[in-house]
Amino acid sequence: MSSKEEMTDKGNAAKSESELRQELGEERYHVLREKGTERAFTGKYWDLKDDGTYHCAVCGEVLFSSETKYDSGSGWPSFYQPASGDAVKELPDSSHGMLRTEVVCQKCGSHLGHVFPDGPPQSGLRYCINSASLDFEKSGSGEEKED
Ligand code: FE
């Protein structure tokens, strides 16, 4: 097994895809770089209620805050808005016979999930995000990562 220290290094922009694959592991790599989807209720953050920020697992950019996380019942971490106006990019996605809006990290282009128009009143939007795409950092804990 590889170490815990590695995940705190977010100098991933310069890494090759094969280095990224090694560092992230097959499952996370598949979601982030091949637009995969983790199975519902299997990720590590769908039910997390702690205060903190959710970062891109590839580049470390702050993408979502626990303040906008809510329980959508979907089995994936759900947020009604991104951490900032330019944290994520939204792209049309017609794969799998559906018209959806894909959500990717604005900074590095990694796949995060999709956004749907059935969110709570705050925005009406549901950002349905894979746990595998995120690294959670608990408030006030500096640099806390778990594997
Ligand atoms: Fe990123």
Side-chain angles (χ1 to χ4, degrees), residues 56 59 105 108:
C56 174
C59 75
C105 174
C108 75

Side-chain angles (χ1 to χ4, degrees), residues 125-140:
L125 297 173
R126 169 171 60 101
Y127 288 82
C128 185
I129 306 299
N130 290 282
S131 297
S133 298
L134 302 171
D135 276 328
F136 178 69
E137 189 175 319
K138 203 167 178 167
S139 293

Side-chain angles (χ1 to χ4, degrees), residues 56-61 63 105-110 112:
C56 174
V58 172
C59 75
E61 192 73 356
L63 300 176
C105 174
Q106 173 85 263
K107 190 171 169 190
C108 75
S110 293
L112 306 173

